[in-house]
Amino acid sequence: AVRDGFTFDSSKPARILLFRPSVKVGEQSTGGMFEPRAEWTTEARKNNEAALNSRQKSLGHQVTYMPEIPGEQAQTVREYQALFGAVAQSVINYQFFAGNRLETKKRENRGGVFQWSLGPGVKNLPGAEQSDYILFILTEDHYGSTGRKIFQFLAAAAVGAGVTSGLHAGYAGLIETKSGNLVWINADNAMGGNVREADGAEKRVAQLLEEFPLAPDKAVTKP
């Protein structure tokens, strides 16, 4: 989704600050609890960053990475990442599904109003003063344990109950630095790609950045 009326300034490339993606990978227990796996998360983070490095060159923007930051500032960044995750989930629940759409997001015969924000405080984040936009990326993957998969099978066979095994969520959002407005988002709770493998991470990043707004000189005009 794209914010109403959003376009890049065609007179200069956009300066985009890419924060280090938030990556969580673990196992889903038989009872459905998330159990973090440090080795999986480390591998996924490495794979995702390599895929992003390759992918961002084709966007046509001036992309820089978040600088190394200490203590309290790092905590502030984590809080904004969590806020973005909450907003992204709200977009899925209350914007993408028309039947759930909030009254303030409705518009007759035009597919709804896309106006969401993290607030103007984002301009105070480290590195933001030299950027026009901030790109947040969050991924969370729960891989079903053997016990969970057996439980899923037994539940379906015994009573026909639907028990899910695994979660593969991905959120990517572009925030206007000055206002904190969300101008573009791609969010899905059922993304593809096994992020623990290089090829899978490339697939995930391609999905996360699908239909990302290109720089004017990279965009292709459709007939």
Side-chain angles (χ1 to χ4, degrees):
V2 180
R3 189 175 181 86
D4 296 7
F6 167 71
T7 57
F8 281 117
D9 183 350
S10 61
S11 66
K12 59 181 180 179
R15 300 175 301 168
I16 298 177
L17 176 65
L18 172 60
F19 280 178
R20 186 182 188 189
S22 174
V23 178
K24 296 180 181 179
V25 189
E27 192 170 56
Q28 189 179 45
S29 70
T30 302
M33 298 296 292
F34 175 64
E35 299 175 353
R37 292 283 295 271
E39 68 277 19
W40 289 355
T41 299
T42 298
E43 194 65 22
R45 181 173 289 118
K46 180 184 70 175
N47 291 335
N48 280 352
E49 290 182 357
L52 277 168
N53 283 337
S54 175
R55 191 82 178 181
Q56 61 93 6
K57 297 174 184 177
S58 66
L59 302 179
H61 303 294
Q62 181 182 323
V63 180
T64 58
Y65 287 83
M66 177 187 69
E68 292 294 328
I69 50 178
E72 290 187 6
Q73 285 187 315
Q75 177 59 31
T76 300
V77 169
R78 286 193 291 270
E79 290 172 356
Y80 268 95
Q81 286 178 318
L83 174 60
F84 168 68
V87 170
Q89 189 58 56
S90 293
V91 170
I92 291 175
N93 292 337
Y94 304 118
Q95 182 87 43
F96 289 169
F97 292 97
N100 295 341
R101 192 164 290 159
L102 302 173
E103 287 297 323
T104 55
K105 307 300 179 186
K106 293 181 179 179
R107 178 184 289 158
E108 291 296 327
N109 304 320
R110 290 193 59 188
V113 178
F114 186 81
Q115 293 181 354
W116 300 80
S117 178
L118 301 191
V122 297
K123 65 179 178 290
N124 299 319
L125 291 172
E129 70 279 358
Q130 299 177 1
S131 68
D132 303 308
Y133 301 92
I134 297 172
L135 178 59
F136 284 94
I137 293 179
L138 280 67
T139 64
E140 185 167 349
D141 290 87
H142 304 184
Y143 292 93
S145 64
T146 300
R148 181 67 176 180
K149 292 175 182 176
I150 292 173
F151 176 56
Q152 180 186 31
F153 174 78
L154 293 176
V159 295
V163 175
T164 60
S165 178
L167 169 72
H168 304 285
Y171 313 139
L174 190 65
I175 311 297
E176 186 181 52
T177 304
K178 183 184 297 185
S179 65
N181 290 336
L182 180 62
V183 297
W184 171 88
I185 189 170
N186 187 9
D188 197 333
N189 285 328
M191 286 244 166
N194 185 341
V195 294
R196 298 171 296 181
E197 302 173 356
D199 289 348
E202 289 180 5
K203 180 178 180 179
R204 174 66 60 83
V205 168
Q207 289 183 336
L208 284 167
L209 296 181
E210 185 176 3
E211 296 188 18
F212 186 88
L214 302 177
D217 62 341
K218 292 283 185 178
V220 176
T221 301
K222 298 182 178 180

